[in-house]
Amino acid sequence: MEAHIEEMDVGDTDAIEGKMEGFNYNIWGMKEPNYVMRMMATGGALFTEGCKSVARVWDNGTAKQFHYTQPYDWHFHYRHLVDDHNNKRHAIPFCEDSWNTDHWTFCVFTF
């Protein structure tokens, strides 16, 4: 896959489809200036509708503008979601310390 994508232009994507333990999956590859970014997942398609437009600029001033395909758009859009959620949960004051009860009926509301 990497050799195939190395010959492509920056921003171009391709996928390999497979099936493992009854689940369909894709391995996507996107050409970047210095490497191939690869991801594996069970959702998304290589559509660009509604996806973010980005550009890559080289040191010599050459630029290339393209749209992410769906898997890469989702990746860059949602990659901080879990980290942001965890940071908010552990910020002070957080529910577990500010809620002065250990009774199980109230603890379920602190999640």
Side-chain angles (χ1 to χ4, degrees), residues 39-103:
M39 293 192 304
M40 179 180 173
T42 58
L46 296 180
F47 300 132
T48 58
E49 287 182 37
C51 295
K52 184 178 179 180
S53 177
V54 294
R56 299 294 186 263
V57 181
W58 289 263
D59 291 337
N60 65 5
T62 306
K64 165 96 189 261
Q65 188 165 353
F66 60 94
H67 286 277
Y68 284 137
T69 53
Q70 202 175 50
Y72 293 95
D73 188 58
W74 289 352
H75 169 74
F76 289 114
H77 188 77
Y78 296 111
R79 65 184 169 175
H80 297 292
L81 195 63
V82 172
D83 291 335
D84 292 346
H85 174 75
N86 286 337
N87 286 335
K88 288 177 184 174
R89 292 256 312 128
H90 297 286
I92 296 175
F94 50 94
C95 295
E96 291 86 349
D97 280 351
S98 61
W99 203 320
N100 293 325
T101 184
D102 291 331
H103 195 269

Side-chain angles (χ1 to χ4, degrees), residues 3-43:
H4 168 68
I5 293 178
E6 281 291 334
E7 299 171 3
M8 301 170 96
D9 290 332
V10 170
D12 289 347
T13 58
D14 203 357
I16 296 173
E17 296 179 45
K19 192 170 194 163
M20 182 186 312
E21 297 179 1
F23 291 97
N24 294 326
Y25 68 87
N26 290 303
I27 299 175
W28 294 288
M30 180 176 71
K31 175 74 168 123
E32 289 283 0
N34 300 323
Y35 61 93
V36 174
M37 181 177 178
R38 290 175 295 214
M39 293 192 304
M40 179 180 173
T42 58

